[in-house]
Amino acid sequence: MAYPILPKTLPLVPPDGFRIAADRAWAIAEKKLRALVERLPDRFPLYTQDGRWVADAEAWTNWCEGFLGGQLWLVAERTGDPWFRERAEHYSKLIEPRKDDRDVHDLGFLFWSTWRRWYEATGDPARDEVVVHAGRTLSLRFNEKGRFLRSFLAPDSLFVDIMANVGIIFHAAQRTGDPDLARIAYEHCLTSRRVLVRGDGSASHEGIFDLETGQFLRQTTQQGWRDDGSWARGQAWAISGFGTAYRYTGDRRFLDTACACADFFLSRTGDRLIPPNDWDEPEPVLPYESSAAAIAAGGLWQLAGLVQDARARGYADYAVRILIRLCQDDFLADDSWEGILKHATYHEGKGLGVDESVMWGDYFFLDALDTIERPGMPSP
């Protein structure tokens, strides 16, 4: 069956201080995105080097091309500026062939931020067909024995990042009524919950399986401090992804998991609001990973509308506090820096985009601002 989407209500109206900070952030984003597109037309930089976007910087995998188009859509919708609308459509068209890409697990990142926004702006079913096609392609990564969608890295590898992409398969199932798509998405979420989320609510980055038997073998990490650490961006993916899984399925286990992951994030980060790359790393050289905070803010706001109890206010308040903190001068970049958010990291272990701006950090920052400011909630 295709699972229904649960409604979501926004529990709080953001304070005036949030709106003032958000207006400043949108003005900066508009200026920086225009400059980027004009300086590097038709390119998809992942991260900055010394604050300057680099078109051909080393990449670990090919997963970020939707985030620039997604930012253009957000600014186009906010401003009504035809310049941004034309470029949003153009950058979306540039990545359309990726709907058949079977080499990555990130098709949700590519098409949810671009073609899904295009469909919502127009209601044109041809735009949604591209999203559904990408969801079908992603479902082909499913390992039947282990009941998981494999990561780009290896057939025996499951990443927590995939929880932030599996929604596109739920969407394809809901649109088409295909029960097998719904099964694949649902079983992947159950497996991720079982093998990646620990008893304290922390999330492992990666799980490894025996391909012959489908048996889960161990937790490990490609991004965190060590295998039993707590990589902050992965934690944020889990908050958002399990919340979305609950919205599509109504399975309370996913809501409980999202809350456990959120409570861990809040307890380990506290009043600092912005986490390091991994909370378990002793005396980290870099104190902040702003892209994890931006992702978590959106996931916490979604969760605040799902729990329907006293926890809602705490999650919503924390999301707003994160975003106000990111709008302060030490994170929101000035004219000397080309990205929007400073102090983000792509891959600390590999030395890629460390303490820079990253394209997904800027996207999820704007997406969270947009979600909180809008009356109502877009589709998951």
Side-chain angles (χ1 to χ4, degrees), residues 223-225 230-234 275-281 284 286-289 292 345-349:
Q223 293 266 40
W225 176 56
S230 304
W231 177 50
R233 192 160 78 241
N277 187 66
D278 190 317
W279 290 280
D280 291 324
E281 181 181 359
L286 299 172
Y288 298 122
E289 208 289 77
T345 290
Y346 176 16
H347 198 306
E348 187 173 290

Side-chain angles (χ1 to χ4, degrees), residues 175 197 212 257 295 348-349:
R175 286 289 194 260
V197 181
E212 292 296 322
T257 301
I295 297 160
E348 187 173 290

Side-chain angles (χ1 to χ4, degrees), residues 118-240:
W118 198 350
Y119 169 67
E120 291 189 345
T122 63
D124 181 354
R127 310 306 171 191
D128 192 47
E129 286 172 7
V130 174
V131 183
V132 170
H133 187 110
R136 286 193 178 279
T137 300
L138 181 59
S139 74
L140 298 175
R141 305 189 69 79
F142 192 65
N143 179 296
E144 289 287 352
K145 289 184 177 180
R147 298 291 192 266
F148 68 95
L149 295 159
R150 61 185 178 89
S151 80
F152 83 92
L153 191 62
D156 62 353
S157 165
L158 162 65
F159 277 11
V160 71
D161 315 43
I162 302 171
M163 282 303 305
N165 286 275
V166 71
I168 199 172
I169 304 180
F170 278 124
H171 174 79
Q174 194 246 1
R175 286 289 194 260
T176 63
D178 186 331
D180 200 46
L181 289 174
R183 176 188 66 86
I184 285 169
Y186 185 66
E187 290 188 355
H188 173 83
C189 294
L190 287 175
T191 300
S192 297
R193 175 182 180 272
R194 177 173 60 85
V195 306
L196 295 182
V197 181
R198 307 177 182 119
D200 64 354
S202 63
S204 174
H205 179 209
E206 184 181 25
I208 302 298
F209 291 77
D210 184 314
L211 291 178
E212 292 296 322
T213 66
Q215 179 183 357
F216 173 69
L217 299 177
R218 65 186 183 277
Q219 294 181 349
T220 183
T221 188
Q222 299 294 325
Q223 293 266 40
W225 176 56
R226 66 184 194 185
D227 290 350
D228 62 347
S230 304
W231 177 50
R233 192 160 78 241
Q235 194 75 21
W237 294 141
I239 296 168
S240 176

